[in-house]
Amino acid sequence: MASTFKSALPFWIGLSMGPIIIAAALLGGFWVLSIPFVIWYVFPTLDAVLGKEQTNPAPSEKGVQLKWHRLNLLLWPILQFFILFGLIAFHKGLDLNGWELTGLFFSLGVMTGTIGINYAHELMHQPRRGDRWLADILMAMVLYSHFRSEHLLVHHRYVGTPRDAVTARYNENVHRFFIRVLKASYLSAFRAEAQRLTRQGLAWYDLKNPFWIYWLLQLLMLGFAYGLAGFWGVLLFAFQAFIAVFHLELINYLEHYGLTRKYLGNGKYEAVQPHHSWNAKHRATNWLLINLQRHSDHHYKPSRAYPLLHTYPKQLAPQLPYSYPIMGIIAVYPRLWRKFMNPKVKAWRAMHYPEISNWQPYNKGTNPPPN
């Protein structure tokens, strides 16, 4: 796979969210909700028109240059920073009433959560230190910096097990999941970093703990918001951050709902396989989310860059009936979600683990006895 501007261009579509929200701020009215409208309705419509992407890049990754695919990741943090703090600085001059301002910063949170956090997720997986710094800056803009530690040290290692807070349990609705995860993911991230330092003979408060960077960056962001617009600047900043974090955890909920790894005994689980993540092949949304919906391959090959991620047939990796935006809308209605997804989880269990008859411990997020 050659990285040409033409091949990378579809994945640059996320950058269009910047001009859209600027135009929405200037136009006011219902235009302030342009971002959620585009993400939740326009892209699913494009998916219906453009269909699904079934092909995979070439198996060999040696010597592949992805400069054009990478450039949009590097541009986004700059764009998001100026949009976020520009809207905070000039919110009084936009001539928006109360509901319009609320709608605008709701849309901003949808953007920073759907695009910003997703790009941060890709950047934090990269080997370059500068890329990881950009990820930290993006996560500080939504006050969720610990996500890097939680994601890399906990989620990827323990996905599908009780030790992973962000693996949604069977029958757990998204609202309870969100409340549980807010606390649990922070604690598990801090614990993972403290344990890593202990293995090096260091205390948790050593300056090598990245939480010092997380806290400092978040304080700088809050201080900048306060310096630009005082109390209202902090309030608007915190509101968009909350919306962004909800969207992050909503996507986490979709990606692993009800999917668990088989317990082998003695605290051990089977290795992560493609069938431990939900996937979607919808072309337009995968452009927007830089192939996040090819989630099985991301867990199977965490170091693989987003343009090189593979899709799998349904026999190897479970498929969602719709793309992430539609499934996210369904998820906020727990009864509707269970109606859609519980039969799929049961079919997945019967396909991959016919030998397991008692799923109750897995449902409760506890270690079952091995069969």
Side-chain angles (χ1 to χ4, degrees):
M1 175 182 177
S3 177
T4 64
F5 181 71
K6 183 178 179 180
S7 67
L9 188 59
F11 294 106
W12 283 50
I13 199 166
L15 297 180
S16 67
M17 298 299 113
I20 288 174
I21 200 163
I22 293 172
L26 296 174
L27 292 170
F30 285 103
W31 290 104
V32 299
L33 298 176
S34 295
I35 293 292
F37 177 77
V38 168
I39 293 175
W40 297 345
Y41 299 102
V42 172
F43 272 90
T45 302
L46 289 174
D47 285 329
V49 173
L50 298 175
K52 298 179 179 179
E53 179 59 72
Q54 309 276 8
T55 61
N56 287 322
S60 177
E61 300 173 21
K62 294 182 179 179
V64 175
Q65 299 296 322
L66 299 171
K67 62 179 181 179
W68 289 109
H69 289 85
R70 182 170 174 264
L71 183 57
N72 69 326
L73 301 178
L74 304 181
L75 291 174
W76 180 259
I78 301 170
L79 181 63
Q80 179 174 304
F81 182 88
F82 282 105
I83 290 174
L84 171 58
F85 289 107
L87 291 178
I88 289 173
F90 298 108
H91 74 277
K92 290 184 178 179
L94 292 173
D95 194 29
L96 301 177
N97 60 31
W99 82 261
E100 289 173 323
L101 190 62
T102 302
L104 178 65
F105 276 81
F106 174 84
S107 293
L108 186 59
V110 174
M111 185 189 80
T112 57
T114 303
I115 308 300
I117 293 180
N118 191 30
Y119 281 30
H121 165 253
E122 181 69 18
L123 287 164
M124 68 180 60
H125 275 280
Q126 302 309 308
R128 299 178 181 89
R129 182 175 296 181
D131 289 359
R132 296 196 299 273
W133 266 105
L134 288 176
D136 286 344
I137 290 169
L138 282 169
M139 295 311 302
M141 281 191 244
V142 294
L143 301 177
Y144 217 62
S145 300
H146 66 277
F147 174 69
R148 175 162 69 90
S149 294
E150 190 280 332
H151 185 78
L152 299 179
L153 300 182
V154 183
H155 179 60
H156 269 274
R157 182 175 181 181
Y158 298 112
V159 63
T161 76
R163 292 191 65 176
D164 179 40
V166 299
T167 295
R169 300 162 186 164
Y170 184 74
N171 269 335
E172 183 178 27
N173 74 57
V174 73
H175 308 292
R176 292 179 179 174
F177 169 82
F178 179 62
I179 294 170
R180 176 177 66 80
V181 165
L182 282 179
K183 177 182 178 182
S185 66
Y186 189 92
L187 293 177
S188 65
F190 191 88
R191 189 181 304 116
E193 291 292 358
Q195 291 171 349
R196 182 181 63 83
L197 289 168
T198 298
R199 290 192 294 270
Q200 299 175 22
L202 301 172
W204 71 266
Y205 48 80
D206 190 272
L207 291 180
K208 288 186 178 181
N209 190 336
F211 270 78
W212 292 114
I213 296 173
Y214 302 161
W215 293 329
L216 177 60
L217 286 175
Q218 290 178 173
L219 283 173
L220 287 174
M221 296 295 175
L222 288 168
F224 198 37
Y226 183 83
L228 291 171
F231 169 78
W232 283 104
V234 173
L235 186 64
L236 292 171
F237 180 87
F239 176 62
Q240 69 79 31
F242 177 82
I243 299 301
V245 169
F246 179 80
H247 277 76
L248 163 64
E249 298 302 355
L250 174 61
I251 290 175
N252 272 331
Y253 180 82
L254 305 178
E255 289 171 338
H256 302 285
Y257 173 78
L259 306 184
T260 49
R261 287 151 63 187
K262 183 178 179 179
Y263 185 62
L264 304 177
N266 297 320
K268 296 181 179 180
Y269 289 81
E270 64 175 318
V272 177
Q273 298 294 324
H275 62 263
H276 293 124
S277 304
W278 292 103
N279 297 263
K281 300 179 180 181
H282 304 83
R283 182 178 277 112
T285 300
N286 265 327
W287 288 341
L288 178 70
L289 300 180
I290 54 172
N291 275 341
L292 183 66
Q293 296 180 133
R294 293 188 167 195
H295 205 61
S296 285
D297 202 41
H298 172 65
H299 272 275
Y300 192 51
K301 301 284 185 179
S303 62
R304 182 173 280 172
Y306 76 86
L308 303 176
L309 290 173
H310 287 204
T311 189
Y312 293 86
K314 63 182 180 180
Q315 293 82 2
L316 297 179
Q319 303 295 318
L320 293 170
Y322 303 106
S323 62
Y324 278 15
I326 294 179
M327 296 308 298
I329 293 172
I330 293 172
V332 299
Y333 301 97
R335 289 186 180 181
L336 184 60
W337 173 261
R338 289 194 295 268
K339 181 179 179 180
F340 265 87
M341 293 303 298
N342 282 9
K344 291 185 175 296
V345 173
K346 291 177 180 178
W348 173 87
R349 290 173 170 180
M351 175 185 292
H352 294 285
Y353 302 100
E355 73 279 10
I356 299 178
S357 58
N358 180 18
W359 285 96
Q360 287 306 311
Y362 288 95
N363 296 344
K364 296 176 181 178
T366 56
N367 290 334
N371 283 11

